[in-house]
Structure formats: structure tokens, C-alpha cells
Amino acid sequence: TRQGGLSMRNRILKMSTAVAALAGAGGAQAVQLYGAVDTFVSYAKVGATSTAALQSGGTSTSRFGLRDSEDLGGGWKANFQLESGFEADTGRQANPGALFNRESWVGISHAQYGELRLGRVYPAYLPLNADPFYGVGKLSPFASFFMLAHDLGPGASAVAARQAKSIVYTTPSVGGATLKLLVAPSGNVTGPRTENAGAVAEVKQGPWHAAASYNAVWKLRAPGASQAVRSDIVSAALAHDFGKFTLLAAYNAIRPNADNTYLAQAATLGTEIKVGRDVIRASVAYRNVSGQPNSSVGVLVGYDYTLSKQSNLYARVGSLRNQGKGRMHYLAAPINTPGESMPFIVALGLRHKF
């Protein structure tokens, strides 16, 4: 009968609830789902052309992920994280060739012995908070200037935004200092044996936060070639929190070790000013290529208006000037002609985190 069916279903539901409670008491954990959806409207003038667009990822990449940490006893934990970036304006994956294109790793950690991760990870590079715009490539001058090597000659390479096939060890904090070591074997037999080897040291003492990193990145000069070019990347960052505002500075140099290549140096200075729960952000970045008439300067100012703990509105206004062969750009409005500048770019967006 219908009443009997309802009674049976209620028993099953109660039994399921009891099993779930017992599992929780036994230490079973639920995998955490997290992410962010970020979309903005932009208007930019590049040269004599004006463009308006709806885009994804103005303050953070639109993404979703899964993560979990299991207590193994004795202070040891087993951890994993899978994270996928996507374009919220279209629903497409940020990298169609990889589902978990941002992070994909498994590892083990202990408070006294540090953490080991294996997989696709953040590189051994400066922390994201070295930039008041957190290195988001669509609008950040820091990301636009520091992470590119397209104009430094064949085989030149910058540090990847994520490094695949990595073995990473991070020491426990000692007096506020940590050291992160990374090596990424290439798996090649005839080409370079390693894609990236790097280290970054961080120190946090009171209001100060300092970091310095070195990376060696190997890349073939041309597809199918046997000769690989090693690019040495040296970076440093310093920040001081004054309470109501923070000052940040960073430096980056890329030096490919091969003929017909060039040295690129970039520097940035930024600030974050707290206005209640809201934040005013500003930064200026400069990049120069030695031995070439190639330099660029970019400025960006932003305001984040807090709607809730999970949602915020934001506004950005910026400008970028290229000189000589300079062809730097914000990803939100690419520049294709050397020496062409962007008089201004304006963006208004909404981000929701979960």
C-alpha cells in the first residue's frame, strides 16, 4: 500500500542517516567542493580601436575544485587537491586539453617534517600576495610583465603559472621562514631531462613578508630540435603591513642562456588600502629588455566593494604604454602591434566564492 511504502522509505532514510552518523564518528570525512565564479564587463581603447566585452576572471580565475585531508595518526596527513579553471562567460574550460588544469596533486604532510606534493602544482615562485591584484593575468600589470618571455629570443621561457609533473617539498615553518623546493622531470630521452627546477624562500615576521626565488626552466629552441635553452629566473618581493594599508614591491629577471637572446627585467610597486571591509588597490609596473628598444609601463587602480563574505563587486581602471618593440598587454585587451599602447581600460565585475 502507499502508506506501507512511505513507512518503508522512512525506515531506509533513518537507517541511512544512522550509517552516515556512524561513519562520521569513525573519522570519515566529506571531500570539500570549493570555487569561484567571476565575470566582468570591460571597455578598452587599444591604439585607435575601442572594444567592449564580457569576460571571465577579473579578480580571480573562475574555477571549481575538490580537496581533502585525512588524518593518518602520529601527526601525519594524506592530502589531495584537484582544481579546474573555466571561462564563466562561455562555460568552456580554461584549458580544453586538461580537466584539472590548475592543480592536480596528491601528497603527505607533517607539522614537524613538512609537506610533499606530487603532480600539477603552483611553481616555486613568489607568493600571489606580492601583487595587490594577486597575479590575475586578465588585468594585473604584475602578471602581464613578470611572466612572459615571448620577446627574449628562441627557447626563452618564464616560470609557468602551474608546473606539471612536479615533485615539491615544503619545509615546516621555522621562526616564520619556509623553503619550497621543486623539480619537474620532463620524461624526455633525447631532449632536456628536466622542465623546471626551482626554490623559493619566504619569511614572515610581524608586519613584514619577504620572499626570494630562483628557477631554471629548460625549453627546446624549436619544435623537434635537440638543443634546449636554460632560462634563469630570479625574483624577490617585500611587503609591509601598516595596519590600514600595505606596501608591496617585487622584482623579476629572466636571462636565457643562449646566443641571440636578451635579458628582461621587471619591477612593480603596489598598495592595498583597507576601507572598512572594502579595499582600494593600486600598482605600477615597469619592464625593460636589455639591448633592445623595448620597454613598457602599466598602471592599474581598483576598488573592491564587499557584498558578503562570499561575494564582492569590483572596479578597475588602468593604462599601459609600450615603447619601441614593446608589446605588453593586459590579457583582457591584447596588443598585437609593437609599440602600440593602451590609453585606458575600464572593468566592472562581480565575483562569488563558494
Side-chain angles (χ1 to χ4, degrees):
T1 65
R2 181 176 177 81
Q3 184 176 1
L6 288 173
S7 178
M8 180 61 72
R9 186 171 65 179
N10 289 336
R11 290 178 194 168
I12 293 174
L13 287 173
K14 289 180 180 179
M15 186 180 297
S16 300
T17 302
V19 170
L22 287 173
Q29 301 182 52
V31 174
Q32 180 186 3
L33 171 66
Y34 69 95
V37 183
D38 185 320
T39 306
F40 67 99
V41 177
S42 67
Y43 178 82
K45 187 173 183 182
V46 178
T49 303
S50 298
T51 60
L54 178 66
Q55 303 189 58
S56 175
T59 60
S60 63
T61 301
S62 294
R63 62 193 185 274
F64 68 89
L66 302 170
R67 58 190 171 200
D68 191 22
S69 180
E70 180 189 8
D71 188 347
L72 302 176
W76 290 98
K77 293 182 179 180
N79 316 299
F80 87 89
Q81 185 168 1
L82 302 172
E83 187 172 291
S84 178
F86 63 94
E87 302 296 332
D89 55 327
T90 64
R92 294 196 301 264
Q93 287 180 254
N95 180 355
L99 173 57
F100 296 109
N101 45 65
R102 289 176 57 84
E103 292 193 81
S104 174
W105 57 266
V106 65
I108 192 167
S109 63
H110 192 287
Q112 293 183 348
Y113 305 115
E115 181 178 24
L116 179 69
R117 294 182 180 182
L118 306 173
R120 184 179 180 89
V121 298
Y122 277 93
Y125 191 61
L126 300 179
L128 292 179
N129 59 7
D131 173 25
F133 297 97
Y134 292 94
V136 179
K138 288 288 178 74
L139 294 170
S140 168
F142 175 92
S144 298
F145 286 16
F146 278 52
M147 302 293 281
L148 293 179
H150 66 276
D151 52 0
L152 303 184
S157 182
V159 178
R162 304 292 186 281
Q163 182 61 57
K165 301 180 180 179
S166 295
I167 303 169
V168 185
Y169 170 70
T170 303
T171 67
S173 177
V174 179
T178 59
L179 177 65
K180 177 179 177 180
L181 303 172
L182 178 148
V183 62
S186 66
N188 294 332
V189 177
T190 57
R193 301 300 176 89
T194 305
E195 290 186 4
N196 176 217
V200 56
E202 290 188 58
V203 180
K204 297 179 182 179
Q205 287 287 350
W208 292 97
H209 186 178
S213 70
Y214 167 77
N215 280 268
V217 180
W218 286 265
K219 183 179 179 182
L220 296 175
R221 295 203 70 148
S226 59
Q227 182 184 8
V229 175
R230 189 191 80 234
S231 295
D232 296 321
I233 300 102
V234 178
S235 310
L238 183 65
H240 187 280
D241 187 351
F242 290 90
K244 292 186 177 181
F245 71 96
T246 302
L247 287 179
L248 312 99
Y251 169 83
N252 187 75
I254 303 176
R255 169 74 267 188
N257 288 272
D259 296 334
N260 301 316
T261 59
Y262 303 94
L263 166 68
Q265 298 183 86
T268 185
L269 182 65
T271 185
E272 292 182 350
I273 304 172
K274 300 173 183 177
V275 184
R277 294 189 305 167
D278 308 319
V279 181
I280 297 173
R281 309 176 189 275
S283 72
V284 57
Y286 175 79
R287 181 180 185 267
N288 178 68
V289 179
S290 300
Q292 292 286 307
N294 181 345
S295 63
S296 305
V297 60
V299 178
L300 188 66
V301 178
Y303 181 71
D304 294 359
Y305 178 75
T306 302
L307 297 173
S308 70
K309 290 183 179 180
Q310 294 175 274
S311 302
N312 68 285
L313 296 170
Y314 60 90
R316 303 285 186 263
V317 179
S319 180
L320 191 150
R321 180 176 178 82
N322 289 314
Q323 296 180 331
K325 296 182 179 180
R327 193 162 57 89
M328 304 305 296
H329 59 263
Y330 299 132
L331 293 181
I335 290 174
N336 298 313
T337 304
E340 189 173 53
S341 297
M342 183 188 301
F344 64 88
I345 182 169
V346 179
L348 298 173
L350 170 64
R351 178 183 66 175
H352 174 75
K353 296 186 293 184
F354 59 91

PDB file of all heavy atoms in Angstrom, residues 268-297:
ATOM      1  N   THR A 268      57.720  46.118  -9.832  1.00  0.00           N
ATOM      2  CA  THR A 268      56.384  46.646  -9.548  1.00  0.00           C
ATOM      3  C   THR A 268      56.340  47.206  -8.131  1.00  0.00           C
ATOM      4  O   THR A 268      57.071  46.749  -7.243  1.00  0.00           O
ATOM      5  CB  THR A 268      55.307  45.557  -9.713  1.00  0.00           C
ATOM      6  OG1 THR A 268      54.012  46.137  -9.551  1.00  0.00           O
ATOM      7  CG2 THR A 268      55.475  44.446  -8.696  1.00  0.00           C
ATOM      8  N   LEU A 269      55.491  48.186  -7.955  1.00  0.00           N
ATOM      9  CA  LEU A 269      55.238  48.773  -6.646  1.00  0.00           C
ATOM     10  C   LEU A 269      53.736  48.907  -6.495  1.00  0.00           C
ATOM     11  O   LEU A 269      53.056  49.395  -7.409  1.00  0.00           O
ATOM     12  CB  LEU A 269      55.894  50.148  -6.530  1.00  0.00           C
ATOM     13  CG  LEU A 269      55.763  50.869  -5.180  1.00  0.00           C
ATOM     14  CD1 LEU A 269      56.493  50.091  -4.094  1.00  0.00           C
ATOM     15  CD2 LEU A 269      56.314  52.290  -5.282  1.00  0.00           C
ATOM     16  N   GLY A 270      53.204  48.444  -5.375  1.00  0.00           N
ATOM     17  CA  GLY A 270      51.751  48.463  -5.205  1.00  0.00           C
ATOM     18  C   GLY A 270      51.340  48.725  -3.776  1.00  0.00           C
ATOM     19  O   GLY A 270      52.163  48.735  -2.854  1.00  0.00           O
ATOM     20  N   THR A 271      50.034  48.905  -3.598  1.00  0.00           N
ATOM     21  CA  THR A 271      49.495  49.129  -2.264  1.00  0.00           C
ATOM     22  C   THR A 271      48.083  48.583  -2.165  1.00  0.00           C
ATOM     23  O   THR A 271      47.361  48.486  -3.172  1.00  0.00           O
ATOM     24  CB  THR A 271      49.483  50.641  -1.919  1.00  0.00           C
ATOM     25  OG1 THR A 271      49.066  50.820  -0.568  1.00  0.00           O
ATOM     26  CG2 THR A 271      48.534  51.402  -2.830  1.00  0.00           C
ATOM     27  N   GLU A 272      47.702  48.200  -0.957  1.00  0.00           N
ATOM     28  CA  GLU A 272      46.330  47.845  -0.616  1.00  0.00           C
ATOM     29  C   GLU A 272      45.904  48.734   0.543  1.00  0.00           C
ATOM     30  O   GLU A 272      46.582  48.784   1.570  1.00  0.00           O
ATOM     31  CB  GLU A 272      46.219  46.378  -0.194  1.00  0.00           C
ATOM     32  CG  GLU A 272      46.469  45.379  -1.299  1.00  0.00           C
ATOM     33  CD  GLU A 272      46.292  43.951  -0.819  1.00  0.00           C
ATOM     34  OE1 GLU A 272      46.162  43.747   0.408  1.00  0.00           O
ATOM     35  OE2 GLU A 272      46.284  43.039  -1.651  1.00  0.00           O
ATOM     36  N   ILE A 273      44.789  49.442   0.386  1.00  0.00           N
ATOM     37  CA  ILE A 273      44.292  50.346   1.415  1.00  0.00           C
ATOM     38  C   ILE A 273      42.940  49.830   1.881  1.00  0.00           C
ATOM     39  O   ILE A 273      42.015  49.668   1.076  1.00  0.00           O
ATOM     40  CB  ILE A 273      44.155  51.788   0.886  1.00  0.00           C
ATOM     41  CG1 ILE A 273      45.499  52.265   0.337  1.00  0.00           C
ATOM     42  CG2 ILE A 273      43.655  52.714   1.977  1.00  0.00           C
ATOM     43  CD1 ILE A 273      45.421  53.598  -0.382  1.00  0.00           C
ATOM     44  N   LYS A 274      42.814  49.539   3.178  1.00  0.00           N
ATOM     45  CA  LYS A 274      41.584  48.978   3.719  1.00  0.00           C
ATOM     46  C   LYS A 274      40.607  50.095   4.069  1.00  0.00           C
ATOM     47  O   LYS A 274      40.954  51.050   4.765  1.00  0.00           O
ATOM     48  CB  LYS A 274      41.891  48.137   4.955  1.00  0.00           C
ATOM     49  CG  LYS A 274      42.829  46.971   4.666  1.00  0.00           C
ATOM     50  CD  LYS A 274      43.241  46.255   5.934  1.00  0.00           C
ATOM     51  CE  LYS A 274      44.236  45.143   5.636  1.00  0.00           C
ATOM     52  NZ  LYS A 274      44.715  44.466   6.869  1.00  0.00           N
ATOM     53  N   VAL A 275      39.384  49.954   3.567  1.00  0.00           N
ATOM     54  CA  VAL A 275      38.309  50.915   3.845  1.00  0.00           C
ATOM     55  C   VAL A 275      37.161  50.116   4.446  1.00  0.00           C
ATOM     56  O   VAL A 275      36.269  49.648   3.740  1.00  0.00           O
ATOM     57  CB  VAL A 275      37.854  51.651   2.575  1.00  0.00           C
ATOM     58  CG1 VAL A 275      36.812  52.706   2.908  1.00  0.00           C
ATOM     59  CG2 VAL A 275      39.037  52.274   1.858  1.00  0.00           C
ATOM     60  N   GLY A 276      37.176  49.911   5.765  1.00  0.00           N
ATOM     61  CA  GLY A 276      36.208  49.010   6.374  1.00  0.00           C
ATOM     62  C   GLY A 276      36.451  47.598   5.868  1.00  0.00           C
ATOM     63  O   GLY A 276      37.559  47.072   5.961  1.00  0.00           O
ATOM     64  N   ARG A 277      35.426  46.991   5.284  1.00  0.00           N
ATOM     65  CA  ARG A 277      35.573  45.656   4.704  1.00  0.00           C
ATOM     66  C   ARG A 277      36.002  45.711   3.247  1.00  0.00           C
ATOM     67  O   ARG A 277      36.251  44.679   2.628  1.00  0.00           O
ATOM     68  CB  ARG A 277      34.248  44.897   4.807  1.00  0.00           C
ATOM     69  CG  ARG A 277      33.817  44.581   6.237  1.00  0.00           C
ATOM     70  CD  ARG A 277      32.633  43.640   6.245  1.00  0.00           C
ATOM     71  NE  ARG A 277      31.516  44.142   5.452  1.00  0.00           N
ATOM     72  CZ  ARG A 277      30.464  43.411   5.097  1.00  0.00           C
ATOM     73  NH1 ARG A 277      30.395  42.143   5.450  1.00  0.00           N
ATOM     74  NH2 ARG A 277      29.476  43.954   4.402  1.00  0.00           N
ATOM     75  N   ASP A 278      36.067  46.905   2.695  1.00  0.00           N
ATOM     76  CA  ASP A 278      36.417  47.076   1.292  1.00  0.00           C
ATOM     77  C   ASP A 278      37.899  47.408   1.144  1.00  0.00           C
ATOM     78  O   ASP A 278      38.575  47.755   2.103  1.00  0.00           O
ATOM     79  CB  ASP A 278      35.558  48.174   0.667  1.00  0.00           C
ATOM     80  CG  ASP A 278      34.068  47.941   0.906  1.00  0.00           C
ATOM     81  OD1 ASP A 278      33.645  46.769   0.801  1.00  0.00           O
ATOM     82  OD2 ASP A 278      33.356  48.906   1.221  1.00  0.00           O
ATOM     83  N   VAL A 279      38.407  47.307  -0.115  1.00  0.00           N
ATOM     84  CA  VAL A 279      39.834  47.506  -0.353  1.00  0.00           C
ATOM     85  C   VAL A 279      40.044  48.345  -1.608  1.00  0.00           C
ATOM     86  O   VAL A 279      39.410  48.103  -2.643  1.00  0.00           O
ATOM     87  CB  VAL A 279      40.564  46.157  -0.515  1.00  0.00           C
ATOM     88  CG1 VAL A 279      42.058  46.386  -0.744  1.00  0.00           C
ATOM     89  CG2 VAL A 279      40.360  45.278   0.710  1.00  0.00           C
ATOM     90  N   ILE A 280      40.926  49.336  -1.499  1.00  0.00           N
ATOM     91  CA  ILE A 280      41.413  50.075  -2.662  1.00  0.00           C
ATOM     92  C   ILE A 280      42.774  49.494  -3.020  1.00  0.00           C
ATOM     93  O   ILE A 280      43.631  49.317  -2.144  1.00  0.00           O
ATOM     94  CB  ILE A 280      41.534  51.579  -2.363  1.00  0.00           C
ATOM     95  CG1 ILE A 280      40.167  52.174  -2.044  1.00  0.00           C
ATOM     96  CG2 ILE A 280      42.163  52.319  -3.549  1.00  0.00           C
ATOM     97  CD1 ILE A 280      40.224  53.613  -1.580  1.00  0.00           C
ATOM     98  N   ARG A 281      42.990  49.209  -4.302  1.00  0.00           N
ATOM     99  CA  ARG A 281      44.245  48.607  -4.750  1.00  0.00           C
ATOM    100  C   ARG A 281      44.859  49.473  -5.851  1.00  0.00           C
ATOM    101  O   ARG A 281      44.139  50.076  -6.655  1.00  0.00           O
ATOM    102  CB  ARG A 281      44.007  47.197  -5.315  1.00  0.00           C
ATOM    103  CG  ARG A 281      43.207  46.283  -4.400  1.00  0.00           C
ATOM    104  CD  ARG A 281      42.926  44.952  -5.082  1.00  0.00           C
ATOM    105  NE  ARG A 281      41.995  44.145  -4.307  1.00  0.00           N
ATOM    106  CZ  ARG A 281      42.337  43.346  -3.311  1.00  0.00           C
ATOM    107  NH1 ARG A 281      43.623  43.257  -2.966  1.00  0.00           N
ATOM    108  NH2 ARG A 281      41.445  42.653  -2.658  1.00  0.00           N
ATOM    109  N   ALA A 282      46.180  49.493  -5.911  1.00  0.00           N
ATOM    110  CA  ALA A 282      46.863  50.230  -6.966  1.00  0.00           C
ATOM    111  C   ALA A 282      48.242  49.640  -7.188  1.00  0.00           C
ATOM    112  O   ALA A 282      48.889  49.183  -6.232  1.00  0.00           O
ATOM    113  CB  ALA A 282      46.965  51.708  -6.625  1.00  0.00           C
ATOM    114  N   SER A 283      48.697  49.648  -8.428  1.00  0.00           N
ATOM    115  CA  SER A 283      50.058  49.197  -8.711  1.00  0.00           C
ATOM    116  C   SER A 283      50.557  49.826  -9.999  1.00  0.00           C
ATOM    117  O   SER A 283      49.780  50.191 -10.888  1.00  0.00           O
ATOM    118  CB  SER A 283      50.121  47.666  -8.832  1.00  0.00           C
ATOM    119  OG  SER A 283      49.518  47.226 -10.026  1.00  0.00           O
ATOM    120  N   VAL A 284      51.871  49.956 -10.077  1.00  0.00           N
ATOM    121  CA  VAL A 284      52.548  50.393 -11.297  1.00  0.00           C
ATOM    122  C   VAL A 284      53.668  49.401 -11.565  1.00  0.00           C
ATOM    123  O   VAL A 284      54.339  48.940 -10.633  1.00  0.00           O
ATOM    124  CB  VAL A 284      53.098  51.835 -11.157  1.00  0.00           C
ATOM    125  CG1 VAL A 284      54.049  51.942  -9.972  1.00  0.00           C
ATOM    126  CG2 VAL A 284      53.786  52.271 -12.440  1.00  0.00           C
ATOM    127  N   ALA A 285      53.842  49.001 -12.814  1.00  0.00           N
ATOM    128  CA  ALA A 285      54.858  48.025 -13.179  1.00  0.00           C
ATOM    129  C   ALA A 285      55.657  48.535 -14.376  1.00  0.00           C
ATOM    130  O   ALA A 285      55.108  49.209 -15.265  1.00  0.00           O
ATOM    131  CB  ALA A 285      54.217  46.676 -13.512  1.00  0.00           C
ATOM    132  N   TYR A 286      56.950  48.208 -14.379  1.00  0.00           N
ATOM    133  CA  TYR A 286      57.841  48.617 -15.470  1.00  0.00           C
ATOM    134  C   TYR A 286      58.628  47.404 -15.934  1.00  0.00           C
ATOM    135  O   TYR A 286      59.074  46.593 -15.116  1.00  0.00           O
ATOM    136  CB  TYR A 286      58.791  49.715 -15.004  1.00  0.00           C
ATOM    137  CG  TYR A 286      59.813  50.108 -16.048  1.00  0.00           C
ATOM    138  CD1 TYR A 286      59.474  50.957 -17.103  1.00  0.00           C
ATOM    139  CD2 TYR A 286      61.123  49.628 -15.976  1.00  0.00           C
ATOM    140  CE1 TYR A 286      60.404  51.309 -18.065  1.00  0.00           C
ATOM    141  CE2 TYR A 286      62.067  49.978 -16.938  1.00  0.00           C
ATOM    142  CZ  TYR A 286      61.703  50.814 -17.975  1.00  0.00           C
ATOM    143  OH  TYR A 286      62.627  51.164 -18.931  1.00  0.00           O
ATOM    144  N   ARG A 287      58.813  47.291 -17.254  1.00  0.00           N
ATOM    145  CA  ARG A 287      59.588  46.187 -17.819  1.00  0.00           C
ATOM    146  C   ARG A 287      60.495  46.718 -18.915  1.00  0.00           C
ATOM    147  O   ARG A 287      60.095  47.568 -19.719  1.00  0.00           O
ATOM    148  CB  ARG A 287      58.657  45.118 -18.403  1.00  0.00           C
ATOM    149  CG  ARG A 287      59.378  43.898 -19.005  1.00  0.00           C
ATOM    150  CD  ARG A 287      58.371  42.914 -19.538  1.00  0.00           C
ATOM    151  NE  ARG A 287      58.958  41.674 -20.012  1.00  0.00           N
ATOM    152  CZ  ARG A 287      59.314  41.438 -21.271  1.00  0.00           C
ATOM    153  NH1 ARG A 287      59.148  42.390 -22.193  1.00  0.00           N
ATOM    154  NH2 ARG A 287      59.824  40.269 -21.625  1.00  0.00           N
ATOM    155  N   ASN A 288      61.715  46.184 -18.954  1.00  0.00           N
ATOM    156  CA  ASN A 288      62.696  46.602 -19.939  1.00  0.00           C
ATOM    157  C   ASN A 288      63.450  45.384 -20.448  1.00  0.00           C
ATOM    158  O   ASN A 288      63.774  44.472 -19.674  1.00  0.00           O
ATOM    159  CB  ASN A 288      63.672  47.609 -19.328  1.00  0.00           C
ATOM    160  CG  ASN A 288      64.740  48.038 -20.327  1.00  0.00           C
ATOM    161  OD1 ASN A 288      64.446  48.711 -21.305  1.00  0.00           O
ATOM    162  ND2 ASN A 288      65.971  47.627 -20.069  1.00  0.00           N
ATOM    163  N   VAL A 289      63.756  45.364 -21.747  1.00  0.00           N
ATOM    164  CA  VAL A 289      64.551  44.302 -22.351  1.00  0.00           C
ATOM    165  C   VAL A 289      65.906  44.884 -22.721  1.00  0.00           C
ATOM    166  O   VAL A 289      65.990  45.793 -23.560  1.00  0.00           O
ATOM    167  CB  VAL A 289      63.863  43.707 -23.594  1.00  0.00           C
ATOM    168  CG1 VAL A 289      64.737  42.621 -24.222  1.00  0.00           C
ATOM    169  CG2 VAL A 289      62.505  43.127 -23.222  1.00  0.00           C
ATOM    170  N   SER A 290      66.964  44.375 -22.095  1.00  0.00           N
ATOM    171  CA  SER A 290      68.307  44.918 -22.317  1.00  0.00           C
ATOM    172  C   SER A 290      68.762  44.688 -23.753  1.00  0.00           C
ATOM    173  O   SER A 290      68.523  43.632 -24.341  1.00  0.00           O
ATOM    174  CB  SER A 290      69.312  44.257 -21.359  1.00  0.00           C
ATOM    175  OG  SER A 290      68.944  44.493 -20.027  1.00  0.00           O
ATOM    176  N   GLY A 291      69.427  45.717 -24.297  1.00  0.00           N
ATOM    177  CA  GLY A 291      69.946  45.610 -25.660  1.00  0.00           C
ATOM    178  C   GLY A 291      68.901  45.796 -26.731  1.00  0.00           C
ATOM    179  O   GLY A 291      69.201  45.621 -27.915  1.00  0.00           O
ATOM    180  N   GLN A 292      67.677  46.134 -26.337  1.00  0.00           N
ATOM    181  CA  GLN A 292      66.588  46.328 -27.288  1.00  0.00           C
ATOM    182  C   GLN A 292      65.835  47.615 -26.948  1.00  0.00           C
ATOM    183  O   GLN A 292      65.702  47.952 -25.761  1.00  0.00           O
ATOM    184  CB  GLN A 292      65.613  45.155 -27.236  1.00  0.00           C
ATOM    185  CG  GLN A 292      66.169  43.847 -27.744  1.00  0.00           C
ATOM    186  CD  GLN A 292      66.288  43.834 -29.249  1.00  0.00           C
ATOM    187  OE1 GLN A 292      65.342  44.105 -29.960  1.00  0.00           O
ATOM    188  NE2 GLN A 292      67.486  43.526 -29.738  1.00  0.00           N
ATOM    189  N   PRO A 293      65.338  48.337 -27.957  1.00  0.00           N
ATOM    190  CA  PRO A 293      64.450  49.485 -27.673  1.00  0.00           C
ATOM    191  C   PRO A 293      63.067  48.966 -27.319  1.00  0.00           C
ATOM    192  O   PRO A 293      62.107  49.079 -28.088  1.00  0.00           O
ATOM    193  CB  PRO A 293      64.458  50.261 -28.987  1.00  0.00           C
ATOM    194  CG  PRO A 293      64.658  49.201 -30.034  1.00  0.00           C
ATOM    195  CD  PRO A 293      65.567  48.171 -29.406  1.00  0.00           C
ATOM    196  N   ASN A 294      62.953  48.365 -26.133  1.00  0.00           N
ATOM    197  CA  ASN A 294      61.757  47.619 -25.767  1.00  0.00           C
ATOM    198  C   ASN A 294      61.470  47.838 -24.288  1.00  0.00           C
ATOM    199  O   ASN A 294      62.137  47.268 -23.421  1.00  0.00           O
ATOM    200  CB  ASN A 294      61.967  46.134 -26.058  1.00  0.00           C
ATOM    201  CG  ASN A 294      60.756  45.282 -25.727  1.00  0.00           C
ATOM    202  OD1 ASN A 294      59.841  45.706 -25.029  1.00  0.00           O
ATOM    203  ND2 ASN A 294      60.752  44.050 -26.207  1.00  0.00           N
ATOM    204  N   SER A 295      60.514  48.682 -23.983  1.00  0.00           N
ATOM    205  CA  SER A 295      60.139  48.915 -22.592  1.00  0.00           C
ATOM    206  C   SER A 295      58.648  49.189 -22.508  1.00  0.00           C
ATOM    207  O   SER A 295      58.024  49.618 -23.481  1.00  0.00           O
ATOM    208  CB  SER A 295      60.918  50.090 -21.997  1.00  0.00           C
ATOM    209  OG  SER A 295      60.616  51.292 -22.679  1.00  0.00           O
ATOM    210  N   SER A 296      58.083  48.928 -21.320  1.00  0.00           N
ATOM    211  CA  SER A 296      56.644  49.102 -21.110  1.00  0.00           C
ATOM    212  C   SER A 296      56.398  49.526 -19.676  1.00  0.00           C
ATOM    213  O   SER A 296      57.135  49.138 -18.759  1.00  0.00           O
ATOM    214  CB  SER A 296      55.886  47.801 -21.391  1.00  0.00           C
ATOM    215  OG  SER A 296      56.156  47.307 -22.681  1.00  0.00           O
ATOM    216  N   VAL A 297      55.353  50.311 -19.473  1.00  0.00           N
ATOM    217  CA  VAL A 297      54.928  50.689 -18.138  1.00  0.00           C
ATOM    218  C   VAL A 297      53.410  50.572 -18.065  1.00  0.00           C
ATOM    219  O   VAL A 297      52.703  50.941 -19.013  1.00  0.00           O
ATOM    220  CB  VAL A 297      55.396  52.120 -17.759  1.00  0.00           C
ATOM    221  CG1 VAL A 297      54.826  53.158 -18.720  1.00  0.00           C
ATOM    222  CG2 VAL A 297      55.026  52.447 -16.325  1.00  0.00           C
TER     223      VAL A 297
END
